[in-house]
Amino acid sequence: MTVKIVKLIRHNPWWKGEGWEREDPNLSRVGEIIPRKEIEIQNGSITLLRGIRRAGKSFYVKTLVKKLISEGIPAQRIVYIPCDRFTRREVRGFINELRFRHGKLYVFLDEITYLEGWRLLLKELGEEGVTTVATGSNPVEIKREAELLPGRGIEGNEYYFNPLNFREFARFMNPRLPDVSFRYSEPDVDNIFPWYEELEGLFYAYLLTGGFPEAVLDFKATKVVGEERYEEIIRLVLGEIAKSGKSEETARELLEAVFRLRGNRVDYVTLAEEVGVSHPTVRDYLATLESARVIYTLEAWDVSRKRYAHRKEKKIVFQSPLIATALAVYLGDDPVEFVEGNIEWLVENTVASHVIWHLEEPLLREKHSFAGFYYDRTKECDLVIKERGKFFGIEVKYGKVKRNTYPFPVIYLSKDELGDDTVPVSLYLYGLKKSRKSI
C-alpha cells in the first residue's frame, strides 16, 4: 500500500537532525520544562498512558523521544503519530512503510482512542513486537479495551497521567525545598515544618493552577492563570462527553448540579430530579466523567461490614481545583474570588485527589477498592481509606479543628495547627508522592 509519509514530517522534526526542538509544536511553545517522573520504555512492549487532556501527555511523549535520541537511538527509527489526524488504515500504513525502510521502530501513538478499532492495532503491534507508547484521554475506552490485551506486553506498563500534584508543583516553583516524603497514614513533617510559610504560599498558588502544566507556567511567569485555560478545561470536559456519545447539555447540567453541592452528600435520585433525567443516566454520566479523570465519586463505607454501603449518599469531588474554578468562571464568577470564597471545599477536593493519586494503580489498585468516606447521624469524615482490612480517616479542618470520635484512627488536616493528630494541609500534601504507576 502506498502511503504519504510526508504527512508525518511536521510531526517528527527530529528526522531532520539537531535543533529539532525549535520546530516541534510542543517543545517550541514552552520556555521551561517541568520535571516529571521518568518511565522506562521496554523493547517490544506496549506502554499505555491514560489521563485527562491538557495534563501534558503530548509534551511528555516528546521528552521521551528526546531521551531515546540522547541514548543513541537513530532518529529515523522514532515515529510520533497524532491519531486524531489520521485513520487507523493510514496509521498502520505509516508504521509498515517505516519498518520496511528503517527496521525496528519506536512508535508513539498520541490520543489513540480517536482511531476506530484502535485495540486491534495495538494487538497487532504487540504480536509483532513493535515498541509502542500510546496515550489516551478517553480512559473509559482505554481501561475497557486494555483489559482485553493480556499477554501483549502491556502488563506492568500502564500508567495514570495526572496533573502535577502539590509536591511536584512546589519543587518546580522552589527547587530548594527538601526532598521529604511519607505515606498518607504516617505524616512525618519534622523536616519540613520550618518551610511552612513557603509551602503555604505555594499551596494557594497550586489551588489557582490545579497542577495543569500550562496554567502552572502562566502563573510562574505572570502570577495569574490565563483566561484561555478556563475555556480549555470546559472544552476538554465537554469534549470527553461528546466522544463518549453522550449529550453535552445533560453533562453540563449535571456538572452544574454537582458544582452547586460544594461537596455535600447526595444520592443519584436527587441529582436525577434536578437534572431531569433518570437516576441510571446520572450514574452512567458520572462514571464517564470519573473515567475521564474529571471527578471522583466517593461512596460511604459500612465500617462494621468492611464494605461500601451502596444505598447511602455519595460525595463527588473534582480531581483538580482548576476544573471547579473553570466551571465557576463558566457560570460567571471571578476565579480568584471563587477560590478565596470556597477554599475549604477546594482543599477537601485536593486532599482526596492527592491521597488517591498516592495509592492508585491501574487494574491492581483502582480507587473503588480503597477510597470512600464515612458518615452517621452526627458527623462525617471527609476521606476514609481501607487498607489491609483496616480503615484510616482523613478530615480536613481548614478553619478551627474540631475533633470527633470515629470507629477508626483519624488525622486532621488544618491550615496552621500542628499536633499529635493534626498536620497543616500544605505540609501533608507536600509529603505525598504519586504512586509508582502515576505520572
Side-chain angles (χ1 to χ4, degrees), residues 124-407:
E124 293 169 351
L125 295 177
E127 290 172 343
E128 295 165 14
V130 178
T131 305
T132 306
V133 177
T135 78
S137 61
N138 190 344
V140 68
E141 280 276 322
I142 286 263
K143 181 175 184 291
R144 182 175 65 243
E145 301 291 352
E147 291 168 356
L148 301 177
L149 289 168
R152 309 298 177 192
I154 192 174
E155 287 80 5
N157 296 323
E158 188 174 0
Y159 298 85
Y160 288 116
F161 199 99
N162 296 307
L164 301 177
N165 67 3
F166 176 58
R167 174 188 175 82
E168 292 165 330
F169 170 84
R171 290 174 65 79
F172 172 64
M173 298 293 283
N174 183 358
R176 294 178 54 243
L177 290 168
D179 185 9
V180 173
S181 65
F182 42 71
R183 278 184 56 77
Y184 74 97
S185 57
E186 301 170 338
D188 181 1
V189 299
D190 284 352
N191 292 327
I192 53 173
F193 79 76
W195 296 82
Y196 169 77
E197 290 185 356
E198 289 89 339
L199 287 171
E200 186 64 17
L202 287 170
F203 183 54
Y204 179 76
Y206 179 81
L207 293 177
L208 292 174
T209 67
F212 281 85
E214 290 170 318
V216 170
L217 293 172
D218 283 351
F219 188 87
K220 188 170 185 182
T222 66
K223 301 304 178 186
V224 296
V225 175
E227 290 184 3
E228 65 273 20
R229 305 301 170 219
Y230 305 116
E231 181 178 349
E232 289 169 355
I233 294 293
I234 294 298
R235 288 185 181 278
L236 78 84
V237 171
L238 296 180
E240 296 303 331
I241 288 292
K243 280 198 299 182
S244 298
K246 294 180 169 57
S247 164
E248 287 188 30
E249 182 179 355
T250 299
R252 189 183 301 112
E253 291 179 3
L254 180 58
L255 281 168
E256 289 179 20
V258 170
F259 178 80
R260 288 191 294 270
L261 286 169
R262 296 294 201 274
N264 289 318
R265 303 190 304 268
V266 72
D267 56 50
Y268 294 137
V269 173
T270 301
L271 278 176
E273 290 173 351
E274 187 165 349
V275 178
V277 296
S278 67
H279 72 270
T281 298
V282 166
R283 186 196 301 265
D284 185 36
Y285 273 67
L286 290 178
T288 298
L289 288 168
E290 180 162 337
S291 293
R293 314 290 287 177
V294 174
I295 63 168
Y296 284 123
T297 299
L298 297 179
E299 294 206 54
W301 287 112
D302 181 335
V303 173
S304 62
R305 297 185 178 185
K306 296 188 177 182
R307 66 187 188 190
Y308 289 120
H310 294 298
R311 294 183 181 276
K312 297 187 76 171
E313 294 174 317
K314 326 293 179 190
K315 287 183 69 172
I316 301 169
V317 301
F318 289 99
Q319 292 204 28
S320 165
L322 187 63
I323 299 173
T325 305
L327 277 169
V329 172
Y330 174 73
L331 296 173
D333 291 347
D334 175 81
V336 175
E337 290 179 2
F338 168 76
V339 171
E340 292 177 349
N342 295 273
I343 194 162
E344 186 160 0
W345 172 50
L346 295 175
V347 170
E348 184 182 327
N349 280 239
T350 303
V351 168
S353 63
H354 276 54
V355 174
I356 292 170
W357 294 350
H358 174 67
L359 293 170
E360 69 179 349
E361 296 184 14
L363 299 181
L364 295 179
R365 194 167 172 75
E366 302 274 3
K367 180 271 303 180
H368 62 263
S369 70
F370 64 83
F373 75 111
Y374 173 87
Y375 73 94
D376 56 29
R377 288 178 294 179
T378 62
K379 57 189 176 295
E380 176 182 309
C381 188
D382 301 317
L383 182 67
V384 179
I385 301 300
K386 179 185 175 186
E387 193 169 30
R388 299 185 182 92
K390 296 182 179 179
F391 293 95
F392 184 87
I394 301 164
E395 193 164 347
V396 178
K397 296 293 185 184
Y398 209 61
K400 182 176 176 57
V401 175
K402 297 179 181 179
R403 290 166 176 78
N404 291 303
T405 301
Y406 293 103

Side-chain angles (χ1 to χ4, degrees), residues 48-157:
L48 285 180
L49 311 179
R50 52 182 171 111
I52 193 169
R53 297 198 76 166
R54 317 303 303 187
K57 294 190 300 297
S58 298
F59 186 90
Y60 184 76
V61 161
K62 298 300 177 62
T63 65
L64 294 179
V65 169
K66 192 172 181 178
K67 182 171 181 283
L68 287 174
I69 293 174
S70 71
E71 293 172 349
I73 303 298
Q76 296 285 343
R77 288 171 47 197
I78 303 171
V79 57
Y80 169 86
I81 305 175
C83 296
D84 55 348
R85 311 288 178 88
F86 304 105
T87 66
R88 183 167 70 86
R89 179 181 173 83
E90 287 178 307
V91 170
R92 179 77 256 199
F94 293 149
I95 294 170
N96 289 346
E97 180 66 21
L98 289 168
R99 288 180 74 192
F100 174 75
R101 292 174 177 272
H102 304 296
K104 182 179 177 182
L105 293 183
Y106 290 81
V107 176
F108 292 87
L109 300 174
D110 204 6
E111 295 298 346
I112 193 172
T113 52
Y114 276 90
L115 297 179
E116 184 176 349
W118 65 268
R119 180 176 65 87
L120 179 60
L121 174 62
L122 276 191
K123 178 176 180 291
E124 293 169 351
L125 295 177
E127 290 172 343
E128 295 165 14
V130 178
T131 305
T132 306
V133 177
T135 78
S137 61
N138 190 344
V140 68
E141 280 276 322
I142 286 263
K143 181 175 184 291
R144 182 175 65 243
E145 301 291 352
E147 291 168 356
L148 301 177
L149 289 168
R152 309 298 177 192
I154 192 174
E155 287 80 5
N157 296 323

